[in-house]
Amino acid sequence: MAGIPLYFVDLQDDLDDFGFEDYGPDCESMRITAFLDIPGQDNLTPLARLEKYAFSDNIFNRQIIARGLLDVLRDFSSNEEDFLTVMEIVVRLSEDTEPTVRTELIEQIPQITIFLQESRPHFPRAFSEYLMPILVRYLTDPNNQVRKVSQEALLILLEQDLIDQSDLENKVCPILLDLSAPENDDEYKVEAVNIICKMISMLGKQTVEQMLLPRFCDLCSDSKLFQVRKVCAANFGDVCNAVGQEATEKFLIPKFLELCSDSAWGMRKVCAECFMSVSYTTSSEVRRTKLSPLFITLISDPCRWVRQTAFQSLGPFISTFANPSSAGLYVKEDGTLSIRSPADDANHFYSRISNDKMNTTLTSDMSCNASSNCKVQKCPVECTGETRTIVSLEATSSHCKKAHGSHVTDEPRPTDLFNSFLYWRSPLPDISEELELLPVEQSNADSKRELKAVSVCNTYMASSDIQMVIQSLQGHLDDPDVQAQVQVLSAALRAAELDSDSQDEMPSTQDDSTSPQEEYCPECPAEPLSLSQSTDVVPQPLLDQYLSMTDPVRAQTVDTEITKHCAYSLPGVALTLGRQNWHCLKDTYETLAADVQWKVRRTLAFSIHELAVILGDQLTAADLVPIFNAFLKDLDEVRIGVLKHLYDFLKLLHSDMRREYLYQLQEFLTTENIRNWRFRYELAEQLILILELYNPKDVYDYLRIIALTLCSDKISEVRWISFKLVVAILHKLYSNGENQLGINFINELILQFRHSPKWVGRQAFAFICQAVVQEECIPADQFASHLLPNLLSLASDPVPNVRVLLAKALKQTLLEKAYFTSLGNPYLDAVEKTVLTMQLDRDQDVRFFSSTEPKRHITSSPTEQSVD
């Protein structure tokens, strides 16, 4: 008897009568409160029976009522009076002395709330008047489990926006403020600060600033509990993002400075982890003057764990200084980054200098938003499990577009897109009036010298006129951005002077666009490649620390995988510095590319195509192509990185350099482990994309051979994707008028597959023919002349699997095309005879697929997939 559950006392008889013999506490698959409908000997109504069991002396009876409250409310929602009676029972049940009953009840609150939302027209205030007080009261429940479940229920309701703003401000926030008060119990305080931090990101900005922000700041300075400060630090970035830049700089940054100087190393470590998200919310001035020196102290922390975390966050923090325009990039309408040519910048020089303040501010805001996602995000370039992925430029630009979508249009907007002279400055002085007064003279200087001297304008101004503009900016030289603008105008001034009557003072062979102290980037001629310029973008101490991550000493004193973290964040740092400052990173990149750890090289291999977008074609050809070539001959773990984005990299190269890789593509067929079939599968996928980069003759001479090799692979998955490659090649040849090459390729397919001694080859031929018809990649008459007769001959193939695929190709694809079903078509009779023959086939599957059953389109590979 000791093993009999308590619920047998007065409920089991009712359950047995209703067929609930196997019902127990773990039963979840049936309507829990169905027993309320059982006609019993008590002559009670269902509502009275509910009340009886809800306040029974048996604990399980009360538990089962709490667990089935949603079903109860549904049953009684048709009658308002009964519904309100049930709600009153719920309130009384919530005061049950048994914690398990209260836990069961609070677990149902989110589902009940959703039901009440759906029934809102009938019971508009039911949640606020009945359930909200229960939820708030349970946040202070003496039982730990009840409080924990209540907190989870509250967060669910907040995430789904099921709590009215008035309830949040008048009921939830006050109780959380009471629980987090300094005099309250420590356990309650830690729980409350957890909820407050999670709530902040879900509430409106005004509510947070008025009610929760002051308390959050107080909790950050809680000297009693390390756990409270640690929770605040861990959520600091989310809080900054919720309250915005102004409140962050006024209230939160001082607290963040305190937390970063906390005596507990664990606290400083958490601050280092969230540094990037805090930096994202601040202005460039605060980022440069306050956060940058603060980060240097963390990176020099006496605790190794703090230094380790700080170095891991260094690249992401540097990337918050980013402005894609400094890399010669702009956001296209589809949200991806694209390259802006120097000529485009030249055509709009004057309009960009004379931007109004609103446009300047817009550029600044866009750069700040772009910088947040330019961090090395744990997302999106597909990689194997042990390696994190690389900074995603598409994610960066998509975030830019989302944040400022109203400013991105189909029309070119040179005045409010990206500006290579604007970083994160305050609005520059308006010099449009001075520019309007300046006469412009068309110089007869050599066009090459003109572009090198100053690529941002198509004409030269007289020396005296340029000096006037420079003088108008002298009062603002404390702004590093104005200094950059003065540098550009100074370059133009020197060019104008050299083209004057005193031109003969310099040798005619000397390049007059640079001084001995300055070298100009070939893609950004107006941007001098001086190391001091990089400090205008990123504080020099931060850049120095980042460059030191390849020092072998760092691996001993900080982290053995520090070079991997350096490689992981390098694209973000490169985007921040811009292509004009690539020389600052070039040596570091080459050191990482030669690192003895293959995981470091693998990380670079997965991101080299992104870096190529940042640097542009000239720097890519000079500095990245040699490293790319080395990766092609590296371990398979590294080669897969370049292979997965082979198309993305090759399309950025000039056609002559791109053509050199035609000879190397075949090397991808060889792997260290022949079982690594996914390598060959990826190659086939990339080749389908790469077809557009080469002319039909090159495709036929080089890619055709690789495709035929892959079509004979031992792994079916590789073969099926390769068949699609074959179809794409045929489309490439015929769409470019190379019919003879297409016919030659078709003859090879017939020889290799139709007449293959292996049935899988003949089945492959049927699939290729079906795909050719379905994709309409060649003219129908060409298909009928060269492929159809060989296809129909498979009807006599001895292997049923071949005939099954033939039946599918004819019934589901070929006979759906108007060309083959039109009257007078000379091939229609042969096709119909073949179908009739197959309908009498000895194999039932062949008969089925060749019958007049409804046509079913195939979307996956046929029966061969299950054969290997």
Side-chain angles (χ1 to χ4, degrees):
M1 296 294 292
I4 299 178
L6 293 175
Y7 67 81
F8 274 85
V9 176
D10 60 351
L11 182 60
Q12 186 62 41
D13 291 340
D14 289 339
L15 294 175
D16 289 346
D17 292 341
F18 199 66
F20 280 57
E21 293 87 349
D22 298 327
Y23 183 79
D26 297 329
C27 181
E28 300 284 353
S29 61
M30 56 187 68
R31 181 170 169 269
I32 297 175
T33 56
F35 67 89
L36 294 176
D37 301 328
I38 304 173
Q41 297 179 358
D42 51 16
N43 295 323
L44 296 176
T45 64
L47 196 58
R49 192 175 293 114
L50 169 67
E51 189 169 3
K52 171 187 174 182
Y53 288 119
F55 306 108
S56 169
D57 292 335
N58 186 286
I59 295 175
F60 178 70
N61 291 348
R62 307 199 300 275
Q63 286 179 340
I64 200 172
I65 293 298
R67 189 183 304 177
L69 280 177
L70 180 60
D71 290 335
V72 172
L73 289 171
R74 285 197 179 111
D75 291 342
F76 292 100
S77 61
S78 58
N79 184 290
E80 182 177 359
E81 184 177 350
D82 290 346
F83 179 82
L84 295 177
T85 301
V86 172
M87 295 303 297
E88 292 174 358
I89 293 175
V90 171
V91 173
R92 291 172 56 194
L93 186 63
S94 68
E95 300 171 354
D96 197 289
T97 57
E98 174 57 38
T100 58
V101 176
R102 302 198 301 275
T103 302
E104 291 281 3
L105 188 149
I106 195 62
E107 285 180 343
Q108 310 307 315
I109 293 294
Q111 300 180 31
I112 294 175
T113 305
I114 294 175
F115 168 73
L116 293 177
Q117 285 289 107
E118 297 171 352
S119 308
R120 193 176 184 87
H122 303 290
F123 315 106
R125 299 295 300 168
F127 171 78
S128 180
E129 294 179 2
Y130 293 97
L131 300 184
M132 194 67 210
I134 298 175
L135 180 62
V136 171
R137 187 171 73 251
Y138 279 6
L139 292 175
T140 60
D141 195 276
N143 183 272
N144 181 60
Q145 182 65 19
V146 175
R147 294 199 308 274
K148 181 179 178 180
V149 176
S150 303
Q151 295 162 15
E152 294 174 354
L154 175 61
L155 293 176
I156 292 174
L157 295 175
L158 287 172
E159 289 174 356
Q160 300 190 19
D161 196 23
L162 295 175
I163 303 180
D164 292 337
Q165 191 71 18
S166 59
D167 286 338
L168 284 174
E169 296 177 1
N170 300 324
K171 297 178 180 178
V172 178
C173 289
I175 193 66
L176 292 177
L177 293 176
D178 290 341
L179 291 174
S180 59
E183 65 277 3
N184 215 323
D185 183 81
D186 292 347
E187 184 176 4
Y188 286 87
K189 189 186 298 183
V190 173
E191 293 175 352
V193 70
N194 263 302
I195 302 176
I196 289 175
C197 290
K198 293 177 180 178
M199 280 182 58
I200 283 178
S201 61
M202 303 177 187
L203 300 178
K205 181 179 178 181
Q206 185 176 1
T207 302
V208 171
E209 290 185 5
Q210 292 179 354
M211 305 194 70
L212 299 182
L213 184 59
R215 177 54 51 84
F216 178 83
C217 293
D218 293 341
L219 293 171
C220 288
S221 304
D222 191 304
S223 58
K224 182 179 179 182
L225 282 178
F226 164 79
Q227 293 89 341
V228 171
R229 302 196 308 276
K230 187 174 182 180
V231 171
C232 292
N235 294 274
F236 212 94
D238 293 335
V239 176
C240 291
N241 185 54
V243 300
Q245 177 180 322
E246 183 178 356
T248 294
E249 296 180 355
K250 183 176 181 180
F251 301 107
L252 294 178
I253 291 301
K255 297 298 179 183
F256 190 64
L257 298 177
E258 294 178 10
L259 292 174
C260 289
S261 305
D262 198 278
S263 58
W265 68 266
M267 182 66 59
R268 303 194 300 275
K269 179 177 180 294
V270 173
C271 290
E273 290 174 350
C274 69
F275 215 94
M276 186 280 304
S277 56
V278 174
S279 175
Y280 159 60
T281 318
T282 63
S283 64
S284 60
E285 181 182 359
V286 171
R287 186 181 299 121
R288 183 179 297 272
T289 60
K290 294 184 178 180
L291 295 185
S292 180
L294 182 62
F295 194 87
I296 294 298
T297 62
L298 291 177
I299 221 167
S300 308
D301 196 274
C303 177
R304 177 170 182 168
W305 305 113
V306 177
R307 296 198 305 273
Q308 184 180 106
T309 304
F311 270 108
Q312 292 178 13
S313 301
L314 176 57
F317 175 50
I318 289 177
S319 68
T320 62
F321 291 82
N323 180 350
S325 66
S326 64
L329 306 174
Y330 70 100
V331 180
K332 297 194 298 185
E333 177 63 21
D334 61 1
T336 59
L337 283 182
S338 183
I339 301 172
R340 182 190 297 279
S341 65
D344 293 336
D345 290 334
N347 293 335
H348 303 297
F349 171 63
Y350 292 112
S351 63
R352 289 190 299 189
I353 288 184
S354 60
N355 279 348
D356 54 44
K357 295 183 179 180
M358 179 174 64
N359 289 336
T360 304
T361 306
L362 170 63
T363 305
S364 174
D365 290 343
M366 292 182 71
S367 66
C368 289
N369 279 280
S371 67
S372 70
N373 275 347
C374 202
K375 65 181 170 69
V376 199
Q377 295 195 8
K378 300 179 180 177
C379 65
V381 181
E382 198 275 332
C383 180
T384 54
E386 76 277 9
T387 304
R388 294 176 298 174
T389 53
I390 310 303
V391 57
S392 169
L393 295 184
E394 287 196 9
T396 303
S397 55
S398 297
H399 180 80
C400 250
K401 179 184 175 186
K402 179 178 179 182
H404 299 279
S406 60
H407 301 288
V408 182
T409 65
D410 291 328
E411 301 177 359
R413 296 283 299 277
T415 59
D416 64 2
L417 277 175
F418 295 109
N419 187 323
S420 59
F421 307 113
L422 298 177
Y423 294 102
W424 306 272
R425 60 166 64 93
S426 301
L428 291 176
D430 188 350
I431 59 172
S432 56
E433 294 182 2
E434 288 89 340
L435 287 175
E436 291 176 357
L437 298 175
L438 297 179
V440 179
E441 298 180 1
Q442 178 63 41
S443 173
N444 294 323
D446 179 80
S447 60
K448 180 178 179 180
R449 278 178 47 187
E450 176 186 11
L451 180 61
K452 275 203 155 188
V454 52
S455 66
V456 293
C457 57
N458 293 326
T459 58
Y460 289 135
M461 294 184 296
S463 301
S464 59
D465 299 323
I466 299 177
Q467 289 176 351
M468 291 174 54
V469 178
I470 295 177
Q471 291 173 0
S472 69
L473 297 174
Q474 292 299 313
H476 307 278
L477 287 179
D478 56 334
D479 188 338
D481 303 303
V482 176
Q483 296 176 15
Q485 188 168 316
V486 170
Q487 286 181 353
V488 175
L489 293 173
S490 299
L493 176 62
R494 288 195 297 272
E497 291 173 346
L498 290 170
D499 283 329
S500 65
D501 294 335
S502 61
Q503 184 177 1
D504 56 349
E505 295 180 5
M506 294 191 65
S508 59
T509 58
Q510 181 175 348
D511 187 350
D512 59 0
S513 63
T514 59
S515 66
Q517 293 79 22
E518 292 181 347
E519 177 186 356
Y520 284 84
C521 169
E523 297 196 17
C524 305
E527 302 283 357
L529 291 179
S530 58
L531 189 61
S532 63
Q533 183 187 8
S534 68
T535 59
D536 291 339
V537 184
V538 177
Q540 192 64 42
L542 289 179
L543 183 59
D544 291 341
Q545 291 291 346
Y546 178 80
L547 298 178
S548 73
M549 291 177 74
T550 56
D551 189 336
V553 177
R554 294 293 192 192
Q556 301 175 5
T557 60
V558 180
D559 186 0
T560 56
E561 293 193 344
I562 190 171
T563 52
K564 182 181 176 183
H565 297 301
C566 180
Y568 178 73
S569 57
L570 193 140
V573 177
L575 179 64
T576 302
L577 293 177
R579 66 183 63 166
Q580 71 272 16
N581 290 311
W582 165 243
H583 65 289
C584 300
L585 292 177
K586 180 182 176 182
D587 291 343
T588 298
Y589 189 77
E590 292 176 349
T591 301
L592 293 171
D595 196 277
V596 295
Q597 299 183 65
W598 63 265
K599 290 185 177 180
V600 176
R601 304 195 303 275
R602 174 188 172 95
T603 301
L604 294 181
F606 269 94
S607 66
I608 193 169
H609 67 290
E610 303 280 17
L611 192 58
V613 175
I614 297 171
L615 298 184
D617 54 358
Q618 295 187 31
L619 289 176
T620 294
D623 299 334
L624 296 190
V625 166
I627 294 175
F628 182 84
N629 293 338
F631 286 160
L632 292 178
K633 302 176 182 179
D634 212 312
L635 301 176
D636 284 354
E637 289 81 1
V638 178
R639 294 171 71 205
I640 188 63
V642 295
L643 178 58
K644 273 190 170 293
H645 302 284
L646 186 60
Y647 165 77
D648 295 323
F649 186 83
L650 292 182
K651 72 178 181 180
L652 299 173
L653 304 180
H654 289 297
S655 58
D656 55 345
M657 181 173 290
R658 185 190 306 142
R659 196 172 186 277
E660 297 177 4
Y661 288 95
L662 282 171
Y663 311 94
Q664 304 182 45
L665 292 176
Q666 198 163 357
E667 297 178 6
F668 283 110
L669 294 173
T670 305
T671 56
E672 298 170 356
N673 186 353
I674 195 173
R675 296 181 179 179
N676 188 8
W677 63 268
R678 290 181 177 83
F679 202 93
R680 301 189 296 278
Y681 184 94
E682 187 65 43
L683 173 60
E685 283 195 323
Q686 286 295 311
L687 289 179
I688 293 175
L689 301 173
I690 286 173
L691 291 178
E692 72 173 56
L693 302 179
Y694 297 100
N695 61 59
K697 185 67 167 57
D698 286 340
V699 169
Y700 181 82
D701 291 342
Y702 298 97
L703 304 187
R704 169 186 58 88
I705 301 174
I706 302 176
L708 292 175
T709 303
L710 291 172
C711 286
S712 301
D713 198 273
K714 293 182 178 180
I715 304 299
S716 63
E717 291 290 338
V718 177
R719 292 197 298 273
W720 291 115
I721 188 64
S722 302
F723 299 154
K724 296 180 180 179
L725 172 60
V726 166
V727 173
I729 291 176
L730 284 172
H731 181 268
K732 175 79 174 183
L733 298 177
Y734 277 95
S735 62
N736 286 274
E738 297 289 348
N739 290 15
Q740 187 57 50
L741 293 180
I743 293 173
N744 294 343
F745 189 30
I746 287 175
N747 291 334
E748 281 190 271
L749 296 175
I750 294 172
L751 180 64
Q752 180 167 337
F753 297 108
R754 169 60 190 90
H755 300 296
S756 172
K758 297 182 179 180
W759 70 268
V760 292
R762 301 191 299 276
Q763 188 192 48
F765 181 78
F767 178 80
I768 291 173
C769 290
Q770 182 182 18
V772 167
V773 175
Q774 193 167 13
E775 299 296 329
E776 299 181 351
C777 63
I778 70 175
D781 60 332
Q782 290 282 314
F783 175 86
S785 302
H786 301 288
L787 286 174
L788 184 58
N790 292 278
L791 176 64
L792 297 180
S793 66
L794 291 176
S796 60
D797 195 279
V799 179
N801 281 356
V802 177
R803 303 197 302 276
V804 165
L805 191 52
L806 172 61
K808 289 182 176 180
L810 296 179
K811 292 293 292 184
Q812 298 178 357
T813 305
L814 192 136
L815 289 178
E816 288 188 346
K817 301 297 181 180
Y819 175 84
F820 296 100
T821 57
S822 60
L823 294 177
N825 187 299
Y827 305 98
L828 178 60
D829 185 57
V831 173
E832 290 181 342
K833 285 182 178 180
T834 303
V835 172
L836 290 175
T837 300
M838 299 182 73
Q839 289 175 355
L840 301 175
D841 195 275
R842 61 183 179 274
D843 186 89
Q844 64 176 1
D845 290 332
V846 177
R847 294 196 303 271
F848 173 80
F849 286 106
S850 59
S851 66
T852 56
E853 294 291 329
K855 303 178 181 63
R856 295 178 293 181
H857 295 279
I858 59 172
T859 57
S860 61
S861 54
T863 55
E864 187 218 349
Q865 289 185 344
S866 62
V867 174
D868 279 345

